[in-house]
Structure formats: structure tokens, C-alpha cells
Amino acid sequence: MNQLELTLLGTPEVRFGSDVLELQNRHIALLSFILIQKRPCSRDELITMLWGTGKKSSLRTALYKLRHYPGADLWLQGDDPITLVATSDVTVLETMQETEVLSDAALAVLERIQSDGTSNLLHGIAAPTPAYASWLEEQHNHITALVDELLLTAASELHISGRFAKAEVLLTQLIARDPLREAAYRLLMQVEADSGKPGDAQQTFERLRATLREQLDSEPSQETLNLRRNLLGSGSGVRAVCLQMGERIPAQASQLFGREGLLEHIHEHLQENAILLHGFGGVGKTALAAEVGGHYLQQGNVLWLSAGFGNATDVLNAFSQTLQVSGLLTVENAHEALAREEISLVIVDDVWSESTLNRLREHLPEDLPLLVTARQRFKGLDRIDVSVLAREDAKALLAFAAERDADELASSDTLCAIVGDHPFALRIAGAKLKNDALTPKQLVAQLADSPHQLKTPKGWREAGKESISALLQTSLDTLSDDAYEAFMAIGALESGSVSSALLTRLLRRDVDKVDGALIELQTRALAERSARPGSDVSEYHLHDLAHSFAKANNILRPRTVVVACCNLVKDDPKAFDVFDVEIPNIIAALEHAAEQEDKETLTHTMADLAIKDTYFGSRGHTPRSLVLLETALNWAKDLGWLDEAHYFAGRVGDAYRVQYHDYVKALKAYTESTKLARLLHDSAREAVLTCMCGITNYHLGKDPSADFEHAQGLAEESGNKHAIGHVLQNRSYVAGLEEDWAAQAHFGKKAVKLARDMLVNQTLNVSRAYALLYSSLINVGEALRKLGEFEQAVTYREEALAIAVLRNNELWQAKTHLELGEMYLDNDQHILALNHLNQSLGFYKRNNATAKTQEVQFLLEALSSRRVDA
């Protein structure tokens, strides 16, 4: 019988019989709300939740459209209240909870959740109103708890019926969702032991013990200890082997890619210092250690200890047994055993406990080479960071793993990028290309936005490395609560990068706690820390795969991110160094506000970022931020905020004129800003914008004289010194374009004097005075250069550069370096020219000034040609 079926967990889908109904997101949100409420809903309630009070016509339109879908007369009933006759995956789970029976349908839902990698309610559907967002968060928390409960119940039923593999899958997922649920670990240990895998059961116990120690500073319960003893006796999961000369180390890769420099560095320093190979899970630390061990096996034996989560007692027992130490282990008999077995190198692989490592080191001679691999940092070792591969090496590894010629995978750039050039992920990707006969393009389409879901082929899975997710989860399981929360919160951000300034607002935590959490992520190789030269702001960036995992599992609402980003800007609009890190996240948050038609939030924040002496004024606009600026302009007019609208229009004109040289759009924006100034009865601002119309008209091939005369009249009428200076400065600029150098110098020097007077007498906003002074100095410098007064020209431009640095305005710095570079190039001072042009290029590239970037590159090519000729 046909009925309406909703998939609510993960990406939503609506079906009627065999038909998939292509509904708008808001319509899906409407049906989901009625279904989850389990009762008829009044029109007023639906309007409030889905559109906001007073939007009756919106609901009426939505119902009209829904009633035209197949079977709507059966599943959408009533007029007020409205009833939905349907079922869903949530309904199936709630039925299982009520009946305590694991149906095939319920098992299918749980397995799908595990396969998809997310159980978020209405994943990807943006909440249409704040009220709906609050309701959705409450329902998501309820359903998350329900799924956790049912995963354990279902796994227990599967275990009893002997379906061990399915039980193991569900329990693994449950532990990933809730790393502190000890009952899930116990059941998983039982399942693994009953299916003939006691080693896996031991590893599950060790994983639980490490998690409890790290997060709760406690040990497993007596019930868990009793189960371990019953299943495994008193054995330890720590492994040790003494490798003899001439043997091959099992972990040694058949071929390494892109590690020649690292190997050389390790060999250079290992004789003098104990080395730590540190890095993100799966980057190849163990393979590197094995390669080094293979080299040492040519001159002696190698002791290999796989420490894992083992404690000091476990590791020292393995050490004693492998080296056949009789009696109680002491430093003396440990040294004797190492000498007797002719050990030339000790390798401690994948160690997690610093105290365990330190206890072992107490028993090793100081002159015996020691190589350690770990995902976290330890004191007293020379750290060598093992990172992802360079792109060409990544492509070579991918081709090797796929057993294809590199030329066949010429289009593999995108695939390497989507897995972050990560060696373990590349090997898995290569195996999938081989086993499933895929092209790189087909595999990219499969992975989409979830590369962390990449799974290893069945034949070569090992515990903790069944997939990229499992590899990550092993690292996450050892994190403190604060670090785990920080990691997942970064998943809510577009860029995968964050500063502590934003994260403190996003998590609403004390800055010291957030700093500690970020440092822990860096220490555990889950995040990389960097800072721009000259900046005190640290940026923490998740690896691409880690960000993909955090993004899929993040539960923060988009609105939470919007509020945090907007508060960051509001609290300190001059924090340009912080914004340099966060601008991708801020722009994404504002785009969400735009989608939600949150006019006030977007307009207020864009005013802080774009009006007057602001971030975008200093750094320029990306195409995305320019769209937001134009949206803010339109919404400011809708809200009746004419002052803000006037400034927004001017900034739109500036962006199109300066960055993109689109003078038609620039003139349109300046003209609108002029009209708004007139409506505001602000003749000074009208004068300034009339000047900008004149400049733009000149670039369009039109005579600007009328604009300048009108602007001068307005400026003198207002008595505003900035407006008067602005007219002078722009007349100077146009005179230069017309190659009337004397006029350019004349108008420019008058503008310089006026700006300096304003700064001395503080008769105007300081930022405006500096803007006028900067532009005027640039103009005078150009005029003096053309008039042959080289030294004087340099003096003016160096003063302009000092102002640009003082005001932290990177577009000004770019322009001034360009001007100086041109001067030195014309004067055949090539080294100085190269220095200034390179600095200009860096600033323009960073700030998306496409046209100016091309101009500087042309000059650098000309400089290169001159130097070659010389």
C-alpha cells in the first residue's frame, strides 16, 4: 500500500510509494515538524515555527504546493489543524524502543546511519526560524540519545543470535559516538572474543582504559576488569620482537614516496639523539621507522616494541620476555641483555603514554640509538614532524597503490587534494581504484564532501585502521573533553582553521581553556599551528581529512556560528590580524545570515567590516564579500538606514573601481551613494562622492570637469576640510592621468597641507585625515618623479608607505610598494625595484586585487628581461 515515508536521519528524503518527491527544504521542514510532533498542528503554530508571526500567506502557498504532490489527499489532511499521515525512520526506531523488538526495519535504519556516517536530524536543512532551530536542536539531542540506546540493544540482540559481524559494526559506531559508554566496550569485547578474535578484544580493552585515563582520570570498572580476565586471562596487547640481521621488518613498505629528505635527516641525527617521529595518524611514521630499522639490520639486531596504549608494566614485561631477561628487570640486566643480543637500535612504535616511554628509557643505555613514533609530542626527544606528501609524490603513491601507470592517472590532482595528500588515504584510494575499476573522477564523485568515510579493502584491515574515520577516532579517543569539544566545533567552520579569539566565542569558554585545548590538538598532531610574519595571532588548522570528519559529526547550529563570528567583529572591529585568519569563516556565517534573511545581523556586521577605516577597506573584497556588501546595501535601504546605505554604496564603488576596474558598476554605485548623501542633506559627503563619479567618468572616457566643479562648490559650501581636501586630491590624480605634472603637484601639495593641518588640529575623524594624506602624498610623489625630482619623489612615497603600515592597510602598502618599485625600475636600481614589486605582489594577491596583481606581474617580467639583457 502506498504511504508517505520520510527519511529524517541524515540527508532527508520524502517518498510516496516508489516515487521520490522533490520538495523544497522548507516544505520538508514543515512535514518533519508535524510528523515528529505526533499530533495535528494548528496553522498559527506552523506559521510561527516555519516563517514567523504574520506570514499566513507563506503557509497557505506551501500547503497549496504540497497538495499537488502524488497522494497528498491521503497523507496531508485537514485545514486547521493539519494532520500528516506518514511514517519515518525515526518512527521505526521509536517503535523498537516501545516494543523492545529488533525488527529488520529498525536494524536497516541503524545500519544506514552507520554507513552514512551521520545521524543528524534533517542533515543539511537550514532551520528557517530561530524557533525552529531551538526545536530542532532539542529533537536532535533526544534522537541522538535514542539511537545510542538502540545501538546497544540491537548489538546485544545480534550477539545473542550469533550475528557477530553486524553487532561489531553497531558497537564500533556507538563507541565512536559515545567514547565513555563502558557497557558498549564490554559487549564489543565479548563479541570479538566469541568470534575468535581475542587480540581485538584486548585492543578494545586498552582503548577503553586509555580513554578513561585521559578523560576522567579513572580506570575501567570492576565489571569490565572481570570480563577481561575471563575472556583474555592476564595477557597484554603490547608486542615486542627482536629482529635479526638480514631479516625484513614486517612494517617495512615495499616502496616509500617523497621521504628521502626525512630519512637522510633521521640517519644524520639518530646516532647522537633519541628521535621522535611525530605526526597525524596514517602519515607513515611506522613505515619510516621500519625503513630506518631495515638499515640498522645490516649492522646488528633491532628491538621493535609496539607500545600502543600499554602501561609501563606491560611494556617492560614484553621487553624482558623478548630479550630473555631472567628475574626482576633492572637497569643492569637490561643493559646486559641488549648487549648480548647485539641490539643496534630500539624502535618504540605508536606509543601514547609519556610515563610509559620514560620508564622504558630508564632501562636503555644513553648511547643506544632510540627511534620513537607517536601522534603526540614527548619531552626529551628530538622531534621530526612527518607531514603529508608533496603533490607529485602523492600522485606517484596513488598510481603505485592502484597498480596503474602514472600517465593513466593524469587527472588525479583532484583526488589527491580531496584526501589531503595523506599517505594512508592515498593507499586506500589506490586500492579502491584497482579493486573497483574506477577512474579518479568517479572516486572523487563517491567521496564528495566526506573523504573521511574512505574504507580500507577487507583483506588488509587492522584494528583502528578500518577507515579514515577509525584512524581519526583512535586519536580522538585520547583527547580531553575540552580538546574534543574544540575539535568538533572547528567542524562547524568553513575553513577548518580557527583562532582562539573565535573559538572562545563559539564555545563560550574561558580563553585559557580554549588555548589549552588548541595546544592539545597541536600536540596530538590533529591540528597545525601557524602565524603570519609579524602577527601575534596563532591559527590552528585541521588536516583536510580531520576537518571532513569534524564537519560530518559537528552538532553546533549554524546560528551559533553566525552569532560567534558577528560578536568577534563587533567586539573589536580593528582586529585585522584576527580577521585575516577568520575571514573565510566570517563570510560563510554572513552568507548563512543572508540565506535566512537576517537583515539586521548582516547589515550591522558588514558596517563594522566595510564602512570607514575597516577591514575590507584595508584588505579589499573577495567576490563573495562583494556580494554580501551589495546585499547589505539593499537591506540597509529596506531598513531605512540611509546613512549606512550611503557608505555601503560608496564602498561598492571603491571595490569595482580599484580592485576589478569595472568602471560601469563603480559609477552606478557612486551615483547611488551621491543620491543618498543628498537625501541625508550631507553636502560634504555629496561632494566626496561627486568627485568619485568624476574619477570614474574619466576612466570611462568622459570629461570629469563638471563633476569636479560641482564637487568643489558643495565642499566649499559645507566648509568641511575633508571634502575640500578630497576635491583637491582627486583633481591632482586626474591631472596626473592627463600628464599635467605641474598641476598634479600643485593640487596634491595643497591637499597634503590640508590633511596635515587636520591631523595637527584634530578637526576631523583621524582615519579620514590619514586617507586624504596618504592619497595626496602618492599623487605628489608621482608628479615629482615625472618632473625629474627623484629623491623628493622617494621621500613623499616613503612617507605614504609609513602611513600605510601605521594604519595596517595592506592595499595602501601594495600600492606604495608598486609605486616605489616602478620608480626604482625606471632608475635601473633593480634590486630595490625587485624588493618593492615582490612585496606589492604579495599584498595584492592576498587581497584579491586581480587587475593590480597582473600589473605587478607584468612589471616583474619586464624587470627579469632587463636583468637578463644586462
Side-chain angles (χ1 to χ4, degrees):
M1 178 180 176
N2 285 341
Q3 63 175 341
L4 191 71
E5 298 180 11
L6 277 70
T7 298
L8 302 179
L9 300 176
T11 303
E13 183 179 83
V14 182
R15 286 181 171 272
F16 182 71
S18 60
D19 296 328
V20 176
L21 306 187
E22 299 294 338
L23 303 185
Q24 296 177 15
N25 283 354
R26 199 182 295 257
H27 295 166
I28 294 173
L30 172 67
L31 298 181
S32 303
F33 179 78
I34 300 173
L35 182 59
I36 291 175
Q37 293 299 95
K38 303 177 190 174
R39 59 172 172 76
C41 296
S42 70
R43 281 177 173 263
D44 286 343
E45 181 181 13
L46 294 176
I47 290 168
T48 300
M49 291 299 295
L50 275 297
W51 287 275
T53 306
K55 299 277 188 176
K56 292 183 179 180
S57 62
S58 297
L59 175 61
R60 185 165 57 247
T61 302
L63 294 174
Y64 173 79
K65 291 180 179 179
L66 286 170
R67 286 189 170 114
H68 283 76
Y69 282 96
D73 55 330
L74 298 175
W75 47 264
L76 191 61
Q77 299 177 2
D79 186 59
D80 193 4
I82 296 164
T83 300
L84 185 69
V85 180
T87 186
S88 72
D89 45 3
V90 172
T91 308
V92 170
L93 295 182
E94 289 175 336
T95 301
M96 176 182 167
Q97 183 187 38
E98 293 169 3
T99 62
E100 298 183 356
V101 173
L102 175 62
S103 64
D104 290 342
L107 180 58
V109 171
L110 293 172
E111 288 181 329
R112 176 178 59 77
I113 292 172
Q114 185 275 334
S115 175
D116 291 350
T118 178
S119 60
N120 289 355
L121 182 63
L122 299 181
H123 183 70
I125 298 289
T129 66
Y132 196 97
S134 297
W135 171 83
L136 187 61
E137 185 171 22
E138 179 183 337
Q139 294 301 319
H140 174 75
N141 292 337
H142 164 71
I143 292 171
T144 298
L146 172 64
V147 170
D148 288 351
E149 175 190 337
L150 296 184
L151 283 170
L152 191 60
T153 302
S156 180
E157 291 290 320
L158 292 168
H159 175 231
I160 291 170
S161 63
R163 289 182 283 178
F164 298 139
K166 286 192 173 185
E168 190 173 334
V169 167
L170 295 187
L171 288 166
T172 300
Q173 186 204 9
L174 176 55
I175 290 170
R177 293 164 61 92
D178 185 358
L180 296 175
R181 187 175 287 246
E182 200 165 341
Y185 289 91
R186 285 198 297 271
L187 182 55
L188 179 57
M189 289 167 62
Q190 187 73 63
V191 169
E192 289 167 334
D194 289 348
S195 57
K197 298 184 291 185
D200 287 358
Q202 173 63 37
Q203 288 192 6
T204 297
F205 172 80
E206 296 294 349
R207 184 176 169 189
L208 167 64
R209 182 169 62 179
T211 301
L212 293 175
R213 285 175 176 174
E214 290 284 342
Q215 298 196 25
L216 301 179
D217 195 24
S218 66
E219 292 290 331
S221 67
Q222 191 59 49
E223 182 180 359
T224 303
L225 293 173
N226 291 341
L227 176 65
R228 175 184 177 276
R229 186 168 55 252
N230 293 337
L231 295 177
L232 307 170
S234 57
S236 166
V238 175
R239 297 184 301 277
V241 60
C242 182
L243 297 158
Q244 305 296 315
M245 287 180 64
E247 290 183 351
R248 178 176 176 82
I249 298 178
Q252 199 165 357
S254 54
Q255 186 173 347
L256 287 178
F257 294 85
R259 300 307 194 194
E260 296 81 3
L262 274 178
L263 284 168
E264 184 177 341
H265 187 64
I266 293 167
H267 285 304
E268 282 179 4
H269 294 274
L270 191 53
Q271 286 294 335
E272 299 177 2
N273 303 294
I275 299 292
L276 168 65
L277 299 181
H278 171 261
F280 187 63
V283 291
K285 302 182 295 295
T286 298
L288 269 172
E291 191 71 19
V292 173
H295 174 81
Y296 272 79
L297 280 175
Q298 299 172 18
Q299 58 195 40
N301 300 331
V302 171
L303 177 63
W304 184 290
L305 281 161
S306 296
F309 295 114
N311 60 28
T313 300
D314 294 334
V315 170
L316 291 175
N317 283 343
F319 177 92
S320 297
Q321 292 169 14
T322 303
L323 295 180
Q324 300 179 343
V325 176
S326 58
L328 184 67
L329 181 68
T330 64
V331 173
E332 289 75 17
N333 58 26
H335 286 200
E336 290 172 2
L338 289 164
R340 182 181 67 248
E341 296 297 329
E342 299 181 350
I343 301 299
S344 62
L345 172 69
V346 175
I347 297 175
V348 186
D349 184 44
D350 193 31
V351 62
W352 290 82
S353 168
E354 185 166 21
S355 61
T356 295
L357 178 63
N358 289 339
R359 284 288 307 282
L360 174 64
R361 292 189 68 187
E362 291 172 2
H363 294 79
L364 301 178
E366 289 186 6
D367 59 350
L368 178 62
L370 171 65
L371 183 61
V372 178
T373 77
R375 299 187 201 183
Q376 55 188 325
R377 299 179 181 182
F378 301 126
K379 298 173 184 175
L381 301 168
D382 279 5
R383 190 182 81 249
I384 297 176
D385 288 317
V386 183
S387 60
V388 297
L389 296 174
R391 179 56 50 82
E392 289 306 311
D393 295 320
K395 290 165 71 173
L397 173 55
L398 181 68
F400 177 81
E403 296 183 10
R404 297 188 194 173
D405 189 277
D407 293 339
E408 292 182 56
L409 300 179
S411 61
S412 61
D413 248 2
T414 304
L415 179 55
C416 292
I418 204 172
V419 298
D421 300 310
H422 182 272
F424 180 61
L426 288 163
R427 289 185 183 276
I428 302 176
K432 281 195 71 67
L433 294 177
K434 173 189 171 185
N435 295 345
D436 299 347
L438 298 172
T439 65
K441 186 175 180 180
Q442 289 170 326
L443 184 53
V444 166
Q446 284 186 15
L447 294 176
D449 294 325
S450 303
H452 67 278
Q453 292 296 344
L454 196 58
K455 292 181 171 61
T456 56
K458 291 182 179 178
W460 51 289
R461 291 185 182 179
E462 59 179 287
K465 291 188 177 180
E466 300 87 353
S467 67
I468 298 296
S469 291
L471 191 71
L472 283 164
Q473 194 62 56
T474 304
S475 291
L476 297 180
D477 286 344
T478 67
L479 294 177
S480 67
D481 288 345
D482 289 339
Y484 184 88
E485 185 180 34
F487 177 86
M488 288 303 179
I490 299 173
L493 302 174
E494 177 178 276
S495 69
S497 295
V498 74
S499 64
S500 61
L502 178 58
L503 198 57
T504 53
R505 290 164 175 81
L506 192 61
L507 295 175
R508 299 175 186 172
R509 296 287 185 272
D510 178 80
V511 65
D512 291 337
K513 275 195 171 185
V514 168
D515 283 338
L518 288 169
I519 290 169
E520 184 176 346
L521 292 180
Q522 179 198 8
T523 302
R524 300 294 176 89
L526 285 166
E528 294 179 358
R529 178 178 176 271
S530 62
R532 277 191 179 189
S535 172
D536 294 329
V537 179
S538 295
E539 174 181 2
Y540 292 84
H541 180 76
L542 295 187
H543 185 279
D544 293 347
L545 293 173
H547 185 231
S548 168
F549 181 90
K551 191 174 181 181
N553 292 279
N554 155 66
I555 61 171
L556 288 178
R557 294 182 297 159
R559 179 64 188 168
T560 303
V561 179
V562 172
V563 171
C565 288
C566 292
N567 284 341
L568 177 70
V569 175
K570 179 182 176 182
D571 292 344
D572 188 359
K574 304 297 182 188
F576 291 179
D577 287 355
V578 175
F579 299 162
D580 285 337
V581 173
E582 302 298 356
I583 203 64
N585 299 323
I586 294 169
I587 288 176
L590 291 176
E591 286 173 338
H592 180 77
E595 289 170 10
Q596 300 300 306
E597 296 190 5
D598 187 350
K599 295 184 178 182
E600 293 195 8
T601 295
L602 174 63
T603 307
H604 277 309
T605 305
M606 284 304 294
D608 286 335
L609 287 168
I611 292 178
K612 299 181 182 176
D613 191 17
T614 55
Y615 181 77
F616 286 133
S618 164
R619 304 299 197 253
H621 281 278
T622 66
R624 288 169 66 187
S625 71
L626 187 51
V627 169
L628 290 169
L629 182 63
E630 292 176 303
T631 302
L633 165 59
N634 293 327
W635 284 356
K637 291 187 291 187
D638 290 347
L639 294 165
W641 299 353
L642 297 187
D643 194 53
E644 286 82 357
H646 157 73
Y647 281 106
F648 284 142
R651 295 300 175 260
V652 170
D654 291 344
Y656 280 123
R657 180 178 65 87
V658 176
Q659 286 184 256
Y660 300 106
H661 291 189
D662 188 335
Y663 299 115
V664 173
K665 289 183 178 178
L667 181 60
K668 180 182 177 182
Y670 286 142
T671 301
E672 183 171 14
S673 185
T674 304
K675 291 177 180 177
L676 288 165
R678 199 173 300 131
L679 284 172
L680 291 164
H681 306 291
D682 190 334
S683 55
R685 290 299 302 162
E686 186 181 351
V688 169
L689 269 300
T690 302
C691 258
M692 300 316 300
C693 290
I695 290 288
T696 312
N697 272 320
Y698 181 85
H699 284 295
L700 289 169
K702 300 174 184 178
D703 185 359
S705 301
D707 290 320
F708 286 145
E709 288 173 9
H710 182 50
Q712 185 165 347
L714 289 167
E716 290 173 352
E717 176 190 332
S718 71
N720 183 289
K721 290 186 177 181
H722 174 258
I724 295 170
H726 195 83
V727 174
L728 289 168
Q729 183 264 316
N730 281 286
R731 283 199 155 179
S732 172
Y733 174 71
V734 171
L737 294 175
E738 293 179 335
E739 299 186 2
D740 186 346
W741 313 121
Q744 184 179 30
H746 170 72
F747 288 124
K749 286 180 177 179
K750 290 181 73 173
V752 166
K753 183 178 185 306
L754 196 61
R756 284 176 172 157
D757 287 345
M758 286 189 288
L759 285 170
V760 170
N761 299 319
Q762 297 182 346
T763 56
L764 183 74
N765 180 293
V766 170
S767 65
R768 289 186 184 176
Y770 272 120
L772 176 60
L773 178 57
Y774 169 80
S775 299
S776 303
L777 288 167
I778 286 289
N779 291 340
V780 176
E782 177 65 7
L784 293 174
R785 169 196 173 195
K786 295 296 186 181
L787 291 169
E789 299 179 32
F790 183 83
E791 296 300 332
Q792 277 281 72
V794 169
T795 300
Y796 271 86
R797 283 179 168 168
E798 286 183 343
E799 184 181 351
L801 180 59
I803 291 172
V805 173
L806 174 68
R807 305 304 291 173
N808 193 14
N809 190 312
E810 294 192 351
L811 288 178
W812 289 0
Q813 292 180 63
K815 179 179 178 62
T816 318
H817 281 299
L818 171 57
E819 302 278 3
L820 286 163
E822 285 183 313
M823 287 180 61
Y824 286 120
L825 180 60
D826 289 348
N827 210 41
D828 289 330
Q829 293 178 258
H830 292 168
I831 293 177
L832 287 171
L834 181 64
N835 177 48
H836 283 293
L837 290 175
N838 278 330
Q839 291 194 65
S840 176
L841 182 65
F843 283 123
Y844 276 136
K845 276 187 173 181
R846 192 155 69 217
N847 293 290
N848 310 289
T850 309
K852 301 302 289 186
T853 296
Q854 293 172 350
E855 182 181 337
V856 179
Q857 287 172 331
F858 176 80
L859 288 172
L860 283 167
E861 290 170 7
L863 174 60
S864 177
S865 175
R866 288 192 191 184
R867 297 178 79 185
V868 169
D869 291 343

